[in-house]
Amino acid sequence: MDKKSVKFGLMSDLHLDIMHDGADRLHDFLRACDEQQVDFIINNGDFCYPKDTSKCLCSEKNLPVNLANAMKISTPVPKLELLAEFNSYHKPHYHVLGNHEMDFCSKEETIQLYGMPGAYYDFHCNGWHFLVLDSNFFKNEKGQLTDYYYGNYFDYRSEQPYLPESQLQWMKETIMSSEEPVVMFSHQPLLPVSRGLKNYDRLQEVLDEVRKEDPDKIKMCVYGHIHQDALSIDRGIIHYSINSISNHWIGPKYACRRFSEETEEKFPNLQYVFPYEKPIYGMVTLNEEGLHIEGVEGTFFKPLPAQIGFDEYEVSAGVRTRSVSWPR
Ligand SMILES: [Fe+2]
């Protein structure tokens, strides 16, 4: 292997509570990671609701249909066993906090159940420095940044997500004291896009201080959340959106029952997604020249989005295989 080459298995947005076949998807990912001999595996958030789905603090008027359904019908999926499988993988394994982890749970409880070192943390592998961030914060009426907690954030949809100042300072110090190239993981996009970071400008001020010392140190930011396959370059940093391993959430407007009555009854939110026919994920290799993503091409379960009249934006049920050089 090249000097400074690292390979990791990247999956996101498994949503075990929505999918009838989430266990198969996870097993397929872990099998592929074995085959590809990755150095570590990482879940980029929205793995599952880690606890029972009875307590949610969101007001009734803002309660999304997926949460309302989860409160009515609890999933038959053995989520903690599947989590244990991920966590007993024979290579290092990491989690990023997704927003849905905190729909019926606190961050502290999730961190404990997932065996995470904290809401945000860093680790090293093969000469690379990885930072895992927690952007699950909203701004309340008083202007205070507040942790996502038992679904409270659905009452503040236009005021999320944020990275708090304390975490930005930790990020700056961690990167500036690092000798290695840096990759950051967050569930939400660290970009000024819809559903992206609200304090993007403040993040850029912090990153500018880092770039002043070393303009090339931060190589890449990885995010999930939007369930789309996309790559962009923003101010010299590659931002990679890893598609969901499972589905594209679309909501009641395009509700469609594709499976047996029994399955649809047990998994009442399945009708609100465009389910991917097979599990999709990326095997990501980083080296001195750039990154290579070995993806999985897939399709949607029928009827396809276009067959039920969906044309609002582009959706894909795959992870594209691609190679990109580091921006200079
Ligand atoms: Fe998600």
Side-chain angles (χ1 to χ4, degrees):
M1 197 176 273
D2 295 342
K3 194 168 164 270
K4 284 203 172 173
S5 172
V6 62
K7 187 177 197 178
F8 58 93
L10 173 64
M11 58 157 272
S12 193
D13 297 271
L14 177 60
H15 289 278
L16 280 177
D17 301 79
I18 294 179
M19 302 305 293
H20 62 303
D21 58 0
D24 297 341
R25 291 175 191 270
L26 178 64
H27 293 148
D28 191 72
F29 170 72
L30 295 176
R31 181 199 48 73
C33 290
D34 269 347
E35 244 172 54
Q36 296 268 338
Q37 300 187 334
V38 298
D39 298 302
F40 67 86
I41 62 172
I42 185 158
N43 148 45
N44 220 72
D46 286 0
F47 193 89
C48 68
Y49 298 141
K51 274 180 59 186
D52 72 86
T53 51
S54 56
K55 178 184 163 185
C56 180
L57 299 178
C58 167
S59 64
E60 205 161 328
K61 70 175 190 325
N62 292 330
L63 188 71
V65 63
N66 42 330
L67 276 73
N69 275 334
M71 290 175 94
K72 272 185 251 152
I73 301 169
S74 60
T75 175
V77 176
K79 293 182 285 185
L80 294 184
E81 282 170 40
L82 293 166
L83 195 55
E85 281 188 46
F86 187 96
N87 286 347
S88 57
Y89 191 68
H90 58 93
K91 294 284 177 66
H93 37 82
Y94 302 99
H95 293 282
V96 180
L97 283 179
N99 53 307
H100 288 297
E101 261 83 33
M102 280 78 72
D103 286 358
F104 301 98
C105 197
S106 70
K107 279 184 190 174
E108 289 70 26
E109 289 165 313
T110 306
I111 288 163
Q112 204 207 352
L113 285 162
Y114 283 25
M116 295 167 69
Y120 60 92
Y121 58 95
D122 63 324
F123 63 94
H124 302 261
C125 189
N126 292 7
W128 289 77
H129 198 158
F130 297 92
L131 275 66
V132 172
L133 305 174
D134 169 24
S135 43
N136 298 291
F137 290 85
F138 66 86
K139 194 181 263 184
N140 70 11
E141 301 84 352
K142 294 177 188 155
Q144 296 156 330
L145 294 193
T146 310
D147 287 291
Y148 290 12
Y149 178 84
Y150 286 91
N152 59 356
Y153 67 97
F154 286 106
D155 285 328
Y156 300 86
R157 275 183 185 271
S158 60
E159 280 301 330
Q160 53 171 275
Y162 280 87
L163 283 170
E165 197 58 33
S166 52
Q167 202 177 142
L168 288 168
Q169 288 308 315
W170 169 83
M171 174 199 289
K172 186 178 90 179
E173 284 158 23
T174 305
I175 299 173
M176 281 177 129
S177 60
S178 180
E179 305 274 293
E180 299 164 326
V182 167
V183 172
M184 300 201 277
F185 296 95
S186 59
H187 184 62
Q188 294 91 343
L190 303 184
L191 290 168
V193 295
S194 130
R195 301 172 75 195
L197 196 71
K198 280 283 176 313
N199 57 341
Y200 168 83
D201 290 342
R202 177 66 194 130
L203 170 69
Q204 290 310 321
E205 285 174 12
V206 171
L207 296 185
D208 281 343
E209 291 181 51
V210 175
R211 284 186 277 237
K212 235 188 280 166
E213 273 200 4
D214 183 348
D216 296 326
K217 200 178 223 172
I218 307 168
K219 299 294 188 195
M220 184 181 184
C221 294
V222 178
Y223 59 97
H225 193 49
I226 62 166
H227 298 215
Q228 282 179 296
D229 177 53
L231 189 145
S232 59
I233 297 172
D234 182 58
R235 303 186 65 176
I237 299 172
I238 290 179
H239 288 256
Y240 177 57
S241 166
I242 176 71
N243 203 339
S244 161
I245 188 172
S246 293
N247 65 52
H248 187 81
W249 173 265
I250 203 62
K253 188 175 169 192
Y254 293 95
C256 177
R257 292 183 161 224
R258 295 172 175 83
F259 303 97
S260 73
E261 207 165 309
E262 195 196 340
T263 300
E264 298 282 356
E265 294 297 311
K266 276 193 199 155
F267 296 89
N269 288 315
L270 199 46
Q271 60 182 315
Y272 301 132
V273 300
F274 296 145
Y276 302 163
E277 200 171 49
K278 61 179 177 181
I280 59 164
Y281 38 76
M283 298 293 151
V284 183
T285 305
L286 312 176
N287 60 30
E288 278 175 13
E289 279 73 52
L291 77 137
H292 176 72
I293 301 161
E294 183 91 29
V296 179
E297 290 301 328
T299 182
F300 296 93
F301 275 108
K302 289 197 174 99
L304 305 175
Q307 290 171 323
I308 54 170
F310 178 82
D311 62 357
E312 293 180 17
Y313 51 87
E314 205 183 317
V315 286
S316 93
V319 170
R320 247 177 73 189
T321 293
R322 50 176 129 205
S323 296
V324 185
S325 300
W326 300 125
R328 300 274 172 215

